[in-house]
Amino acid sequence: MTAFNQNKVLEERAFYGLNWGYYMKGNSAKEGRLLPFIFLYKLDKRIKIINFQEGEDNFEIAMNILSKSNEDFDQYIVGYQGQMILSETKVPSDVIIVKAFDRRQELGAFIAQKYRLTKDSIIGIVREDGPIYIKNLPMSLPRITIEDLIELPELGTNFIKAKNKENPNKIDLSILIRHNSENEIYFYLKDCLGGWIERFLEEDYSGLFFVNIAHNESLNTRFLSFILKDAFQTIYTSKFVQDNFTSKQIGLTFKVDYGFNHEVLVNETTQDAINEINDLKNILSNVNTKEK
């Protein structure tokens, strides 16, 4: 994204912050507002997370904290919740706000994610459209010069196709993933799941998709579970899936486990939605029979 001046590491960390805010807001839905946060990074490591009490201007509070900090950091991410007018209707939307900066660059990026709290979802919160780039912001801390450049590690994968036990003419797809970023795993699997569904008929998929994520001490499995459930939720509630799968009684199941002990992170299916459709059809059928 050009908003980050081709700084792939900062971009990944900014979207990580956006997902983290979304996750924390989903978990705090019953308890109140999202606690603002700051992520500090030095080269390839996140060195500190700072939470602070919400105020009138959360970004100003964050900058005041950082201006007094003795930490040695080169990138920083500030996140909090707010409201913004993002459409012609002039109606404020609830948003997660992230402002991301690299101290080697003059400008940082301001991005936001619209959301809606709802009980009618897997995780109690849903995204309203995708992330939105708002604008670039001047970096107000003293600039630094660092010659060392870091790159994001590549995501490792291994795909396995196997015949479905109940229907040997159909294929179950399994994938092993190795990475140290929940965010990168989320975006990769979201794209993959969408692609698998689009190629569903030509690949003769059964509708069962299995994922094993290799053990990595850097991973927060609660956070990872949350955002992967969100990925499935986004896809299975889409019009494409509703029209081409759910309404045609084709079920989709997405299972994700973690590590050698196969800790279950996600086990979601569209079968419940199919059952609701069938129940409604049965009710309507009984009503029509009685009327005759």
Side-chain angles (χ1 to χ4, degrees):
M1 183 181 286
T2 55
F4 296 93
N5 194 29
Q6 307 304 318
N7 189 329
K8 295 294 185 181
V9 175
L10 183 64
E11 181 176 350
E12 194 279 333
R13 289 170 176 173
F15 283 102
Y16 185 103
L18 209 59
N19 270 339
W20 181 262
Y22 182 73
Y23 160 65
M24 295 302 292
K25 182 58 192 174
N27 282 334
S28 67
K30 296 179 181 178
E31 303 167 5
R33 296 179 66 80
L34 167 67
L35 195 63
F37 59 89
I38 306 169
F39 289 166
L40 299 182
Y41 293 90
K42 179 66 177 178
L43 295 177
D44 61 342
K45 297 186 184 302
R46 187 174 67 203
I47 58 173
K48 196 167 189 178
I49 300 176
I50 302 171
N51 290 109
F52 58 92
Q53 291 298 317
E54 190 175 34
E56 187 172 335
D57 188 330
N58 292 309
F59 185 63
E60 183 178 349
I61 295 172
M63 296 313 298
N64 186 48
I65 292 172
L66 293 180
S67 67
K68 299 175 181 178
S69 173
N70 294 320
E71 296 287 346
D72 181 17
F73 60 94
D74 51 52
Q75 292 186 345
Y76 58 100
I77 311 294
V78 180
Y80 51 94
Q81 76 175 84
Q83 285 195 322
M84 298 181 67
I85 296 175
L86 297 170
S87 67
E88 296 178 355
T89 64
K90 305 300 182 183
V91 176
S93 298
D94 291 320
V95 293
I96 304 297
I97 291 170
V98 160
K99 297 176 179 179
F101 299 87
D102 188 317
R103 295 179 65 186
R104 290 162 288 196
Q105 298 178 181
E106 293 182 356
L107 297 176
F110 178 0
I111 58 176
Q113 173 66 65
K114 292 169 61 178
Y115 69 87
R116 174 171 51 87
L117 300 177
T118 174
K119 295 180 180 179
D120 299 326
S121 75
I122 299 170
I123 52 178
I125 187 172
V126 295
R127 299 176 195 265
E128 297 279 305
D129 304 320
I132 303 167
Y133 162 70
I134 306 298
K135 62 181 179 179
N136 286 106
L137 297 171
M139 201 281 294
S140 57
L141 292 180
R143 291 187 67 186
I144 59 176
T145 301
I146 299 177
E147 298 299 332
D148 296 328
L149 297 178
I150 59 172
E151 296 182 359
L152 295 172
E154 292 187 4
L155 187 143
T157 59
N158 185 28
F159 289 86
I160 300 173
K161 293 184 178 182
K163 293 181 179 180
N164 181 266
K165 293 180 180 179
E166 296 181 1
N167 187 347
N169 293 322
K170 298 294 181 180
I171 299 297
D172 296 340
L173 184 62
S174 300
I175 176 173
L176 171 66
I177 293 181
R178 299 173 299 279
H179 205 269
N180 63 353
S181 169
E182 302 91 343
N183 208 49
E184 291 294 282
I185 294 170
Y186 159 80
F187 281 114
Y188 179 79
L189 280 180
K190 185 177 179 182
D191 288 344
C192 276
L193 188 56
W196 296 335
I197 291 171
E198 289 178 2
R199 300 190 304 273
F200 192 87
L201 294 178
E202 63 185 85
E203 298 284 352
D204 291 323
Y205 288 138
S206 67
L208 293 173
F209 301 109
F210 302 96
V211 179
N212 176 254
I213 298 171
H215 176 81
N216 189 305
E217 292 183 359
S218 300
L219 295 175
N220 180 328
T221 54
R222 292 181 63 184
F223 173 44
L224 182 57
S225 173
F226 185 94
I227 57 177
L228 289 182
K229 287 177 181 178
D230 174 69
F232 181 78
Q233 172 179 269
T234 299
I235 290 172
Y236 95 77
T237 56
S238 68
K239 188 176 186 302
F240 180 83
V241 170
Q242 297 284 339
D243 292 347
N244 294 281
F245 291 86
T246 308
S247 64
K248 296 180 180 180
Q249 308 281 296
I250 301 173
L252 300 172
T253 299
F254 184 49
K255 295 183 178 181
V256 183
D257 61 33
Y258 170 74
F260 303 110
N261 295 327
H262 298 281
E263 174 190 352
V264 177
L265 301 184
V266 181
N267 187 5
E268 300 295 341
T269 180
T270 61
Q271 192 58 49
D272 292 341
I274 293 173
N275 292 339
E276 288 178 7
I277 293 173
N278 289 334
D279 290 343
L280 181 59
K281 286 181 178 179
N282 290 333
I283 292 172
L284 293 175
S285 178
N286 291 334
V287 170
N288 291 335
T289 300
K290 289 180 182 179
E291 289 179 352
K292 293 178 180 180

